[in-house]
Amino acid sequence: MTAVDQGAQGAERTLGQLVASATAEMSALVHDEIALAKAEIRQDVKRAGIGGAAISVAGVFALFSLPVLSFAAAYGIHNLGLGLAWSFLIVGVAFLLIAGLLSLIAVSKFKKVKPPEKSIASMKETAAVVSTVKPHPRPFSDQAVGVARSSS
């Protein structure tokens, strides 16, 4: 079928067919917009999951390994000749630095989470196109068929 045949066929379509076609195309457009938004959000959720996992691992290491490793490291440093209080202070600062580093990694992952920019831009474009479409006004006719009213 050529473009001329399609144009001629389009001219023969009824108003109902045109409305049905427009409705189907708008429905498909909305479904495509939703699919795009889901894909973008899925990617951001994955990034947020990695960031959440990193912060969770940092918390687990800080809670469970801190007491055991602190004592072991502090007594190890004390055996080198440093005072026991200084040994515990050195170990505590080292663990805080590790927790801070893991927190920075988590924050950098969270900062990469963005709104679905492609979906927003596409929806704005669609809204701009739809807002320019105006209904065709029907001419007013005095001979319009009305509903008969009873005089009772």
Side-chain angles (χ1 to χ4, degrees):
M1 191 182 283
T2 65
V4 174
D5 292 339
Q6 290 175 347
Q9 183 184 14
E12 295 173 6
R13 294 171 68 184
T14 66
L15 179 62
Q17 290 172 334
L18 291 173
V19 169
S21 175
T23 303
E25 288 178 13
M26 285 298 291
S27 176
L29 179 63
V30 168
H31 286 289
D32 290 345
E33 297 288 345
I34 290 171
L36 176 62
K38 282 182 181 179
E40 286 183 330
I41 290 172
R42 190 176 299 122
Q43 186 179 30
D44 286 338
V45 166
K46 183 178 177 183
R47 286 183 184 139
I50 291 171
I55 199 91
S56 298
V57 169
V60 167
F61 275 117
L63 289 176
F64 292 131
S65 67
L66 192 62
V68 174
L69 295 176
S70 296
F71 278 101
Y75 280 111
I77 294 171
H78 178 65
N79 285 339
L80 295 175
L82 201 58
L84 193 57
W86 286 108
S87 301
F88 274 101
L89 183 64
I90 291 170
V91 170
V93 169
F95 281 130
L96 285 177
L97 289 175
I98 291 170
L101 178 66
L102 288 173
S103 296
L104 287 176
I105 291 171
V107 168
S108 71
K109 291 293 182 184
F110 285 133
K111 284 185 178 180
K112 289 183 180 179
V113 175
K114 302 175 197 169
E117 295 169 356
K118 292 178 185 176
S119 296
I120 291 171
S122 179
M123 289 297 267
K124 285 181 180 178
E125 184 179 315
T126 301
V129 169
V130 171
S131 68
T132 61
V133 177
K134 296 181 181 176
H136 296 290
R138 287 190 254 170
F140 181 73
S141 171
D142 290 335
Q143 298 173 352
V145 177
V147 176
R149 295 184 183 174
S150 66
S151 60
S152 54

